[in-house]
Amino acid sequence: MRAGWFTILLLLTIFTTGAFRPLLVNTAASADPLLILLAWLALIDRWPRIIVVVAVISVYRVFGGISTPFEVLTPILMITFAVRSLRLWMDPYHPWKRYQIVIPALVLGAAIEEWILAGYLPSMSFVFQSCWIAALCGALMMPILDLTTPLLRSARYPL
Amino acid sequence: MKRIERAYWAIGCWLVLALIGYGLQPLVNRSGSADLHRQLLEQALQRSLISEAEEQSILDRQQLLDRYLAANFAGSLYQMVPARLSPHLDPHPRRSVARLDRGTETGLLAGMGVIGAAGVIGKITSSGPGWSLVQLADDPAFVIPFIDEVGRSAIYAGGPNLGRGHPRLRIDPVELLDGMVLRTHGGGGTFPEGLVVGVVSEVRFPFRNSVILLTSTLHHGQEVLVLTPLTKVKTR
């Protein structure tokens, strides 16, 4: 049943990415719901689940489109490792401090994605805009994800 | 309310929000600049490339072929394969892709250029039997050399927004002006020289922040031609 709800969450996130696709251009790449889900899981969850999400995103985006594995995997892995590194210094369970982990990780992912696709490092305005867009979308999506934690039935999520 | 009930409610609300997002997509896609976009491109084309009568006549595959057969590159280096282009959503939200109804059975391979009635459409990135995926000209990773009206060259790149591109790099001292028509350079072997890439709509500093408008039909279903390089056949 845990796997069932986890699959539904993943599918719902893919569905949401498709729904808000026209808005996810340029700086709004940091608000990609699939990447927010990955960052949220990487905050607290176990590695096997994180690896499953990384694998699903990679397979879906590489085999369904024109992106190469390098273009898809690099930002995803950077986000994952950034979250796992930053959580060593900040409390991932804290309702506000966790944004200080997720937002830099999402901005880093968006910047690397821009660098790989467009061929140059993004400007400071790109970073600032990505920051507030990531903060806004993270603040919208993470409380909803928090509410779904009883369905995932993991000891990592405190009751 | 129990925690598990709140979780079900959260999933339900999320689904509703996603459905609302899908419902609002046509409003977002129909941007206010679409009319200006079309007007600029059509004015430029009328002035420099084709007459009004010819533009009206580009309705089907045969007429499209006839138009480009008269172009000076026809028969020299490229063979033109007609195909039907249809919109395709790439799973990656930043990518801009379309699909062709022809593939390897007609010799279409990755790297071949795709042109439409208004000029450059994109490049084929992968193909199989009966299908090809085309990287459209507004994809962030789409890069080709272009020339301005005087013949000075620079590098064009797609994005950052849909239906737009930007100059990435000067090769010659190019100076962009509003309404300037940019054409393919001919280097690289994908596109011949002289095809319309787009029209400059905003000149900004630095150079790479300028905006180039592409054809307004880029993301619509249309008849296109694939440029397949001719190979020399050894004869005795």
Side-chain angles (χ1 to χ4, degrees):
Chain A
M1 199 59 198
R2 273 185 295 181
W5 279 109
F6 180 60
T7 311
I8 287 170
L9 267 185
L10 257 175
L11 292 176
L12 196 52
T13 315
I14 290 172
F15 185 65
T16 311
T17 305
F20 295 98
R21 183 191 172 87
L23 303 176
L24 300 176
V25 291
N26 199 17
T27 50
S30 60
D32 186 345
L34 267 172
L35 300 185
I36 294 176
L37 174 76
L38 175 68
W40 177 77
L41 277 172
L43 269 179
I44 298 168
D45 222 316
R46 290 168 289 121
W47 273 108
R49 251 188 201 160
I50 297 164
I51 290 167
V52 167
V53 174
V54 168
V56 168
I57 298 173
S58 309
V59 169
Y60 174 60
R61 290 192 169 167
V62 170
F63 290 99
I66 61 167
S67 304
T68 59
F70 176 72
E71 287 166 352
V72 173
L73 263 173
T74 313
I76 292 173
L77 291 178
M78 285 309 294
I79 288 172
T80 310
F81 289 116
V83 170
R84 297 304 280 199
S85 306
L86 288 171
R87 76 195 280 271
L88 299 175
W89 288 284
M90 276 172 270
D91 180 12
Y93 288 98
H94 194 281
W96 296 111
K97 283 181 183 170
R98 61 182 183 164
Y99 288 102
Q100 294 174 35
I101 302 172
V102 170
I103 293 168
L106 288 172
V107 172
L108 179 70
I112 285 172
E113 189 177 278
E114 188 69 12
W115 175 58
I116 291 169
L117 288 179
Y120 48 78
L121 280 172
S123 59
M124 284 308 287
S125 66
F126 177 96
V127 173
F128 281 122
Q129 287 173 24
S130 294
C131 270
W132 76 258
I133 291 169
L136 182 71
C137 295
L140 280 171
M141 202 168 152
M142 281 167 60
I144 299 177
L145 287 167
D146 290 339
L147 287 173
T148 63
T149 49
L151 300 171
L152 297 175
R153 292 169 197 269
S154 170
R156 297 288 182 107
Y157 302 109
L159 292 171
Chain B
M1 195 186 286
K2 288 178 185 173
R3 277 176 57 86
I4 197 86
E5 286 173 357
R6 281 208 297 263
Y8 291 136
W9 271 104
I11 294 271
C13 291
W14 186 356
L15 184 61
V16 170
L17 276 173
L19 288 171
I20 290 171
Y22 268 111
L24 293 176
Q25 267 192 8
L27 292 176
V28 177
N29 288 334
R30 195 175 57 206
S31 64
S33 62
D35 291 337
L36 172 70
H37 188 164
R38 184 173 291 112
Q39 196 182 348
L40 263 172
L41 187 58
E42 283 175 1
Q43 279 175 359
L45 284 174
Q46 282 168 7
R47 193 179 67 215
S48 62
L49 185 66
I50 55 171
S51 68
E52 283 184 14
E54 278 176 331
E55 193 168 10
Q56 284 173 356
S57 72
I58 302 166
L59 293 171
D60 62 9
R61 185 171 289 182
Q62 189 54 51
Q63 281 162 331
L64 187 64
L65 267 173
D66 290 345
R67 187 180 140 203
Y68 280 111
L69 280 171
N72 58 7
F73 65 83
S76 57
L77 284 169
Y78 298 93
Q79 185 182 2
M80 288 176 286
V81 178
R84 176 81 192 165
L85 180 127
S86 50
H88 179 78
L89 287 181
D90 192 284
H92 196 302
R94 290 295 314 280
R95 306 312 296 262
S96 188
V97 182
R99 196 180 171 93
L100 295 181
D101 64 351
R102 291 192 171 184
T104 46
E105 78 285 355
T106 47
L108 302 191
L109 296 170
M112 291 177 175
V114 180
I115 58 173
V120 171
I121 295 289
K123 283 182 206 172
I124 293 178
T125 52
S126 57
S127 59
W131 63 271
S132 298
L133 284 181
V134 179
Q135 178 189 33
L136 295 175
D138 60 351
D139 185 87
F142 181 89
V143 180
I144 51 166
F146 72 85
I147 49 171
D148 64 6
E149 288 171 351
V150 191
R152 290 173 295 206
S153 53
I155 302 292
Y156 162 89
N161 296 319
L162 282 182
R164 280 142 206 260
H166 62 278
R168 178 179 286 182
L169 184 72
R170 280 191 179 102
I171 297 173
D172 296 325
V174 174
E175 285 194 22
L176 300 180
L177 299 169
D178 282 341
M180 181 185 273
V181 181
L182 305 178
R183 294 166 189 278
T184 50
H185 174 269
T190 306
F191 296 102
E193 186 181 343
L195 293 168
V196 173
V197 176
V199 179
V200 179
S201 73
E202 284 177 53
V203 180
R204 291 182 188 164
F205 181 82
F207 177 68
R208 73 174 190 201
N209 286 354
S210 302
V211 179
I212 298 168
L213 287 180
L214 306 170
T215 170
S216 56
T217 58
L218 195 67
H219 291 272
H220 299 170
Q222 58 184 301
E223 296 296 333
V224 294
L225 296 172
V226 182
L227 300 166
T228 61
L230 285 175
T231 51
K232 288 179 182 175
V233 179
K234 287 182 182 175
T235 53
R236 289 180 184 177

